[in-house]
Amino acid sequence: MTARAADRARYDRATAHLDAPLAIVDLDAFDANAEDLVRRAGGKPIRVASKSVRCRALLERVLAKDGFAGIMSFTLAESLWLARSGFDDVLLAYPSADRTAFAELTGDPKLAAAVTVMVDDPAQLDLIDAARSGGGEVVRVCLELDTALKLFGGRVRVGALRSPLHTAEQVAELARTVARRPGFKVVGIMAYEGHIAGVGDSLAGRPLRSRAIRLMQATARRELAERRAEVVRAVRAVVPDLEYVNGGGTGSVQYTAAEDAVTEIAAGSGLYIPRLFDNYTSFSGRPAALFAQPVVRRPGVGIVTVLGGGYPASGAAGPDRVPVPYLPEGLRYDPQEGAGEVQTPLLGSPADDLLVGDKVWFRHAKAGELCERFDVLHLIEGDAVTATAPTYRGEGHTFL
């Protein structure tokens, strides 16, 4: 029996009393992935990206482990909810225009002390001030650096379109603007290198493209390490008591942690290991989050149909954004139908061994987005469900 077949047997036994559709997290794999992230971080604390987890119980579980500290959130409303739930170090990774939430933040000392907001433009400070509604609490601010690699005088850009702040001078000038402005305090710098951390460099059947990606990433790492160090020096000249410099992501943990200028690492997807993280040479992990769909039809030889399953991931549309049939091994989509809204035909010889009511296990393309489809995660240890934890959706929250 292969390791994957053994996992399927465990998951089927653990959930035999449960009807699909359902979602699970294998806690043995989750914990092993957490340990690997800590090993790769080399002693620097890891701030957990909540968008990649979206389950408070699992956020609490990982933050109880040595090597993890703080949350990186994705909306201001989520940040305030987490702070009210007892998480006392929440860094909002994206700028917000939520005026109602800013009024709450600036009017509550506990929330203002726990939550840091992201800024890369003075206009965002104006929006916050206009939303204060009498709230006078000092807002903790993190400045975001654009990590993109620019080549040929800027004519070629590799990296996400995020912050407009690319140079040390630009970031330091915004730090001075914030420092001069009452009601705000710069406490950190963030730089997420998605073109390194979020792009696999070992694509099956595409050796030339894989080699080109590795060359690009090596160049980008060198350039960013130098520029990030310059930015930190420039900002510390304005804000000597800067609390942290955050960088990285699951795919670049060990590289970013090696930079002296970086004080903490961000990671989250590496806990679940969705399918987009299969194509890396720098690390490997164990798939921990899966979902099961029930077989409801057997249209013919080598074909079964499962209920639903069309859960595409965000990003540029393409084959890499759909879930993959994972267990039993050897199933594939019908190219004419793909993953369907209500039903999904699956092809392959393993279909002939499946009966109506059996479960087919899938892996989502991305991590936390799976939790927007399910209200609970069944937590498995060994071959038993030992707990059931609500997702954000299960707690009545769909933040984005």
Side-chain angles (χ1 to χ4, degrees):
M1 182 182 290
T2 66
R4 279 174 61 174
D7 282 341
R8 181 195 174 201
R10 285 196 302 116
Y11 301 151
D12 283 346
R13 286 194 299 271
T15 63
H17 62 297
L18 299 171
D19 290 329
L22 59 84
I24 65 166
V25 170
D26 182 336
L27 290 180
D28 296 330
F30 181 91
D31 290 344
N33 293 335
E35 292 171 6
D36 186 61
L37 287 170
V38 171
R39 176 190 62 80
R40 292 198 288 136
K44 291 187 177 177
I46 299 171
R47 185 179 292 273
V48 183
S50 63
K51 76 177 182 65
S52 301
V53 179
R54 302 194 201 201
C55 172
R56 279 200 301 167
L58 292 176
L59 289 172
E60 291 168 354
R61 183 183 183 92
V62 71
L63 285 170
K65 298 178 182 295
D66 291 340
F68 291 87
I71 288 177
M72 177 174 282
S73 58
F74 61 98
T75 76
L76 185 54
E78 178 214 12
S79 305
L80 302 186
W81 177 64
L82 290 172
R84 290 192 181 99
S85 301
F87 297 96
D88 61 3
D89 181 7
V90 182
L91 168 61
L92 175 58
Y94 307 88
S96 175
D98 188 339
R99 293 174 174 84
T100 300
F102 276 126
E104 295 177 30
L105 176 70
T106 57
D108 188 316
K110 178 183 175 183
L111 297 179
V115 175
T116 301
V117 304
M118 194 62 59
V119 168
D120 58 33
D121 188 321
Q124 294 152 353
L125 304 177
D126 296 338
L127 187 147
I128 295 171
D129 273 339
R132 282 182 180 272
S133 188
E137 296 299 323
V138 173
V139 175
R140 293 167 55 85
V141 167
C142 182
L143 308 178
E144 181 170 2
L145 169 68
D146 171 37
T147 65
L149 174 65
K150 295 185 177 182
L151 302 171
F152 306 109
R155 292 189 297 275
V156 174
R157 174 194 173 92
V158 182
L161 293 166
R162 292 177 62 116
S163 170
L165 307 176
H166 189 79
T167 67
E169 292 77 10
Q170 289 173 322
V171 183
E173 179 55 33
L174 183 56
R176 285 189 286 270
T177 298
V178 176
R180 289 192 296 262
R181 191 154 179 163
F184 296 93
K185 180 183 180 182
V186 174
V187 299
I189 300 171
M190 188 192 82
Y192 171 59
E193 53 266 35
H195 52 302
I196 303 171
V199 178
D201 64 349
S202 180
L203 307 180
R206 306 184 70 181
L208 294 180
R209 179 163 178 78
S210 298
R211 184 176 178 182
I213 290 172
R214 288 194 290 273
L215 178 61
M216 175 276 291
Q217 290 179 337
T219 303
R221 285 197 301 268
R222 289 192 297 270
E223 186 275 337
L224 179 58
E226 294 177 4
R227 183 158 52 90
R228 181 154 38 199
E230 293 174 0
V231 168
V232 172
R233 285 193 297 270
V235 173
R236 287 196 185 278
V238 180
V239 187
D241 58 345
L242 196 69
E243 295 178 17
Y244 54 79
V245 177
N246 180 283
T250 289
S252 67
V253 170
Q254 63 270 42
Y255 302 118
T256 308
E259 295 182 33
D260 291 338
V262 174
T263 66
E264 64 174 41
I265 307 299
S269 295
L271 297 169
Y272 286 171
I273 304 292
R275 64 165 295 203
L276 282 177
F277 284 85
D278 286 347
N279 304 317
Y280 285 77
T281 58
S282 61
F283 79 103
S284 62
R286 293 171 55 186
L290 300 94
F291 67 93
Q293 304 296 111
V295 174
V296 293
R297 287 177 171 164
R298 291 169 50 88
V301 175
I303 309 170
V304 292
T305 301
V306 299
L307 182 70
Y311 306 155
S314 59
D320 64 338
R321 299 291 150 165
V322 297
V324 289
Y326 184 59
L327 302 171
E329 297 179 65
L331 293 173
R332 65 186 186 279
Y333 291 120
D334 177 347
Q336 301 302 313
E337 297 197 41
E341 177 187 8
V342 178
Q343 69 166 31
T344 298
L346 297 171
L347 314 181
S349 58
D352 294 329
D353 296 323
L354 292 169
L355 304 176
V356 170
D358 284 351
K359 296 180 177 77
V360 175
W361 297 89
F362 293 77
R363 293 173 65 200
H364 203 278
K366 298 185 77 174
E369 291 182 21
L370 167 66
C371 295
E372 299 300 332
R373 298 288 184 166
F374 294 91
D375 58 2
V376 298
L377 298 172
H378 300 284
L379 308 183
I380 291 179
E381 295 181 83
D383 60 358
V385 172
T386 57
T388 298
T391 60
Y392 281 11
R393 172 178 170 169
E395 296 202 67
H397 295 288
T398 51
F399 293 110
L400 198 62

